[in-house]
Amino acid sequence: MTQASDIRDNEVAVQAPTPSDAALTYIGRIHTPWQTRKECPRQGDSEDGPVCELEIFEPWGAALEGVEELERIQVLYWLHEARRDLVKQSPGNTGMTKGTFAIRSPVRPNPIGISVVTLVARNGNRLQVRGLDCLDGTPLLDLKPERCPHKH
Amino acid sequence: MTQASDIRDNEVAVQAPTPSDAALTYIGRIHTPWQTRKECPRQGDSEDGPVCELEIFEPWGAALEGVEELERIQVLYWLHEARRDLVKQSPGNTGMTKGTFAIRSPVRPNPIGISVVTLVARNGNRLQVRGLDCLDGTPLLDLKPERCPHKH
């Protein structure tokens, strides 16, 4: 059984510097139905996917003012289980590789995930949204209004 | 003369925790024509804006393989001069405020900027692109293929 953190044929890892250039603060936590990476869908569906929850920690609750008026939100999160040292990857495990910056794999030097979600409801510091595909418990980094036009 | 890092009327700062949850590594540096925040355009133009340069540091050069085939790239960078403790902001300095997560201001708990650029050319570890609006010398965090359809 291959684990997602193992290296595959033709993938290339580098001796990466210890990350120490800037520090992140987790502003909250994402609640989803998926407990293992194998269960996670390949790409969240912002219209038909399950409702997930963004929980915002204090002291950041006041920063949500006005978020309830947004239809679509860009969500940034930290893929805390991803390895960070691969420069070439084989997403389908086909033996063919691509550079890490040419694909949207969670494995990258700074494993920041970005999803566009649709807002279902706000209850205080908790937002119900559709469109996520990450693990339950994923640390939240940021929310921004989405500028990209809606795909119908 | 008000500095962009000063607080404005009705803006709200919080006692933010020292960021220590995860660490970033700078994968490169962005070269733009803008030396001060006052000179930066409000939003980069991916078609008519000036050509800027993304410089990728080693050991990450190999991760660029295949990037030259992309038309549009999502660029993540670290807004290293932004304060991180405002929860309500007054972008136009009008006295009216919005929550930080309801606007795309550089001032946020984790000041990660995201721009979509069009690729002009690749020369080794340097990519010429259009669509940026950040300061010269801004640290680069990540490049991903853009999924959002092109606005014409």
Side-chain angles (χ1 to χ4, degrees), chain A residues 19 21-26 63 65 74 84 87-88 99 101-102 104 108 110 112 141-145 147-148, chain B residues 19 21-26 43 63 65 74 84 87-88 99 101-102 104 108 110 112 141-145 148:
Chain A
D21 290 321
L24 295 167
T25 195
Y26 296 160
E65 188 180 84
Q74 196 176 39
R84 303 175 65 170
V87 290
K88 298 198 185 189
F101 299 140
R104 292 186 70 98
R108 38 211 324 119
N110 295 300
I112 298 168
L141 297 178
D142 202 3
L143 308 177
K144 303 178 196 273
R147 287 193 299 212
C148 162
Chain B
D21 291 321
L24 295 167
T25 195
Y26 295 160
Q43 196 182 304
E65 188 180 84
Q74 195 176 39
R84 303 175 65 170
V87 289
K88 297 198 184 188
F101 299 140
R104 291 187 69 98
R108 38 211 323 119
N110 294 301
I112 298 168
L141 297 178
D142 201 4
L143 307 177
K144 300 177 196 273
C148 161

Side-chain angles (χ1 to χ4, degrees), chain B residues 59-84:
Chain B
W60 307 114
L64 288 170
E65 188 180 84
V67 163
E68 61 280 352
E69 290 163 32
L70 303 173
E71 192 194 346
R72 299 171 78 235
I73 302 171
Q74 195 176 39
V75 180
L76 279 68
Y77 43 93
W78 188 247
L79 297 154
H80 57 304
E81 295 200 0
R83 61 187 291 168
R84 303 175 65 170

Side-chain angles (χ1 to χ4, degrees), chain B:
Chain B
M1 187 65 208
T2 306
Q3 291 212 329
S5 58
D6 288 340
I7 195 160
R8 295 167 174 165
D9 290 348
N10 302 325
E11 290 192 331
V12 178
V14 291
Q15 191 73 32
T18 303
S20 60
D21 291 321
L24 295 167
T25 195
Y26 295 160
I27 61 153
R29 188 186 292 121
I30 302 181
H31 302 277
T32 76
W34 307 295
Q35 304 301 323
T36 64
R37 275 178 290 179
K38 220 175 135 184
E39 294 171 59
C40 293
R42 266 194 82 85
Q43 196 182 304
D45 187 320
S46 62
E47 299 198 339
D48 297 322
V51 173
C52 299
E53 192 173 73
L54 308 178
E55 175 193 358
I56 310 299
F57 302 150
E58 289 304 337
W60 307 114
L64 288 170
E65 188 180 84
V67 163
E68 61 280 352
E69 290 163 32
L70 303 173
E71 192 194 346
R72 299 171 78 235
I73 302 171
Q74 195 176 39
V75 180
L76 279 68
Y77 43 93
W78 188 247
L79 297 154
H80 57 304
E81 295 200 0
R83 61 187 291 168
R84 303 175 65 170
D85 61 345
L86 294 194
V87 289
K88 297 198 184 188
Q89 298 178 54
S90 181
N93 201 0
T94 56
M96 306 279 284
T97 60
K98 277 201 166 183
T100 293
F101 299 140
I103 58 177
R104 291 187 69 98
S105 156
V107 171
R108 38 211 323 119
N110 294 301
I112 298 168
I114 304 177
S115 292
V116 177
V117 301
T118 54
L119 180 62
V120 176
R122 174 181 172 191
N123 298 300
N125 280 15
R126 290 167 180 269
L127 304 179
Q128 273 79 48
V129 301
R130 291 185 201 274
L132 291 169
D133 53 19
C134 61
L135 278 176
D136 188 42
T138 296
L140 194 56
L141 297 178
D142 201 4
L143 307 177
K144 300 177 196 273
E146 168 63 13
R147 286 192 299 211
C148 161
H150 203 341
K151 281 174 266 189
H152 285 288

Side-chain angles (χ1 to χ4, degrees), chain A residues 2-123:
Chain A
T2 305
Q3 291 212 329
S5 57
D6 287 341
I7 195 160
R8 295 169 174 164
D9 288 349
N10 301 325
E11 291 192 329
V12 178
V14 291
Q15 190 72 32
T18 303
S20 61
D21 290 321
L24 295 167
T25 195
Y26 296 160
I27 61 154
R29 186 186 293 118
I30 302 181
H31 302 278
T32 76
W34 307 294
Q35 303 301 324
T36 64
R37 275 177 290 179
K38 221 176 135 184
E39 294 171 58
C40 293
R42 267 194 81 84
Q43 194 182 307
D45 187 320
S46 62
E47 300 197 340
D48 297 322
V51 172
C52 300
E53 190 173 73
L54 309 178
E55 175 193 358
I56 310 298
F57 302 150
E58 288 303 337
W60 307 114
L64 288 170
E65 188 180 84
V67 163
E68 60 279 353
E69 290 163 32
L70 302 173
E71 193 194 345
R72 299 171 78 237
I73 301 171
Q74 196 176 39
V75 179
L76 280 69
Y77 44 93
W78 187 248
L79 297 154
H80 56 304
E81 294 200 2
R83 62 186 290 168
R84 303 175 65 170
D85 61 343
L86 294 194
V87 290
K88 298 198 185 189
Q89 298 179 54
S90 181
N93 202 1
T94 56
M96 306 280 285
T97 60
K98 276 201 167 183
T100 293
F101 299 140
I103 59 179
R104 292 186 70 98
S105 158
V107 171
R108 38 211 324 119
N110 295 300
I112 298 168
I114 304 176
S115 291
V116 177
V117 302
T118 55
L119 180 63
V120 176
R122 174 181 172 190
N123 298 302

